[in-house]
């Protein structure tokens, strides 16, 4: 029986690449999406072309009831979830002096509370199965901080604390919980940066380039696999050497 992976925010960017990479490994794929659009259709087509099963489940990860419903939709279809990738995330960048309360709350609600909401609904099934992998997408700025991102950095640092605490809670049930901390990865999220800024960033990275979604997806693939069965509570940086 194939393993089942649920990826939140999986119709574009890093999430889509994770879904494709895990599909290449033979996982059946459940992709959570917030917005029904062409991205969803193209993701579905690409995944199905790999001869694995696909289900798209709509829902806003920041709304607990949505996550309750869409996790159940996945369980109703496959009877289990082997791997969860908490990938959905947003930015609302600005200096604290200018940041509105809503900018802070929305980022925390999607990135951090969303990770809680999805995990909380999946964990009972993993506990029963005595197995599971939870992989949370943090960020280097959750470790190092970044001017203009107090909200985002707080959410990503929160994910690291969440990851380590949960890893301790569920290790005895053979559920492994890890996080990855990407640096600057080429997606819509970083596309808003001006070209000059991107060039400056690339220059400051030891490997002299921004990362690609594949760079993140390949580490997620490893953390989902049997090859990482003695790793839990860790944060793996995928940043071309930005943080050492
Ligand atoms: P994108 O903006 O390209 O994609 C984000 C995805 O999250 C979209 O599919 C989006 O769906 C989904 N999403 C946003 N809010 C919600 C929500 N409330 N409920 C469900 N889905 C939602 O970002 P990236 O691919 O770049 O980022 C993916 C993850 O990686 C994020 O957690 C991000 O913080 C993290 N990351 C990214 C880095 C980078 O440099 N790109 C660096 C470090 C971390 P929709 O299409 O509906 O908007």
């Amino acid at each position: 029986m194939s393993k089942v992976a649920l990826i939140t925010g999986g119709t574009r960017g890093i999430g889509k690449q994770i879904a494709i990479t895990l599909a290449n490994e033979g996982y059946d794929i459940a992709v959570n999406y917030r917005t029904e659009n062409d991205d969803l259709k193209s993701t579905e087509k690409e995944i199905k072309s790999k001869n694995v099963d696909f289900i798209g489940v709509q829902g806003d990860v920041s709304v607990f009831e949505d996550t309750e419903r869409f996790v159940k939709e996945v369980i109703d279809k496959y009877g289990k979830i082997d791997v969860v990738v908490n990938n959905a995330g947003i930015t609302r960048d600005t200096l604290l002096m200018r940041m509105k309360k809503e900018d802070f709350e929305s980022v925390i609600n999607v990135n951090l509370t969303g990770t809680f909401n999805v995990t909380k609904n999946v964990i009972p099934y993993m506990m029963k199965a005595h197995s599971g992998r939870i992989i949370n997408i943090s960020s280097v700025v959750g470790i190092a901080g970044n001017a203009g991102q107090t909200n985002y950095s707080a959410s990503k640092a929160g994910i690291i604390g969440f990851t380590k605490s949960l890893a301790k809670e569920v290790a005895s049930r053979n559920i492994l919980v890890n996080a990855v901390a990407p640096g600057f990865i080429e997606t819509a999220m970083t596309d808003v940066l001006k070209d000059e800024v991107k060039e400056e960033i690339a220059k400051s990275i030891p490997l002299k380039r921004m990362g690609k979604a594949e760079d993140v997806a390949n580490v997620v693939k490893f953390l989902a696999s049997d090859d990482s069965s003695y790793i839990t509570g860790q944060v793996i940086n995928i940043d071309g050497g930005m943080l050492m």
Side-chain angles (χ1 to χ4, degrees), residues 60-210:
D60 181 334
V61 295
S62 69
V63 178
F64 187 81
E65 293 71 23
D66 280 17
T67 61
E68 209 171 16
R69 174 184 44 73
F70 75 66
V71 166
K72 192 166 177 303
E73 284 170 22
V74 181
I75 292 290
D76 285 349
K77 175 148 189 190
Y78 299 113
K80 62 170 187 168
I81 297 175
D82 298 287
V83 177
V84 173
V85 184
N86 284 304
N87 164 80
I90 58 167
T91 51
R92 293 283 180 276
D93 297 351
T94 189
L95 297 173
L96 184 80
M97 288 287 283
R98 295 198 199 110
M99 191 176 287
K100 296 194 183 78
K101 189 169 171 279
E102 297 74 49
D103 296 328
F104 188 82
E105 286 175 348
S106 60
V107 170
I108 297 290
N109 288 345
V110 174
N111 300 4
L112 182 56
T113 311
T115 296
F116 164 81
N117 290 343
V118 174
T119 307
K120 169 82 183 157
N121 282 297
V122 170
I123 208 88
Y125 300 102
M126 290 186 170
M127 296 287 271
K128 232 187 229 170
H130 287 257
S131 105
R133 300 290 169 98
I134 296 164
I135 302 159
N136 298 323
I137 311 295
S138 179
S139 165
V140 288
V141 308
I143 300 166
N146 193 24
Q149 292 197 307
T150 50
N151 48 3
Y152 184 77
S153 305
S155 74
K156 295 299 185 178
I159 285 175
I160 293 174
F162 177 86
T163 299
K164 293 182 178 184
S165 300
L166 183 63
K168 290 182 176 178
E169 288 183 18
V170 298
S172 63
R173 294 288 181 117
N174 191 33
I175 302 168
L176 312 186
V177 192
N178 290 291
V180 296
F184 285 93
I185 310 296
E186 288 169 358
T187 67
M189 190 176 268
T190 46
D191 211 31
V192 292
L193 299 170
K194 290 191 186 116
D195 284 347
E196 308 90 83
V197 176
K198 284 191 212 163
E199 279 163 27
E200 280 308 308
I201 290 170
K203 267 192 222 159
S204 71
I205 298 171
L207 287 180
K208 301 291 174 213
R209 67 168 176 91
M210 288 180 61

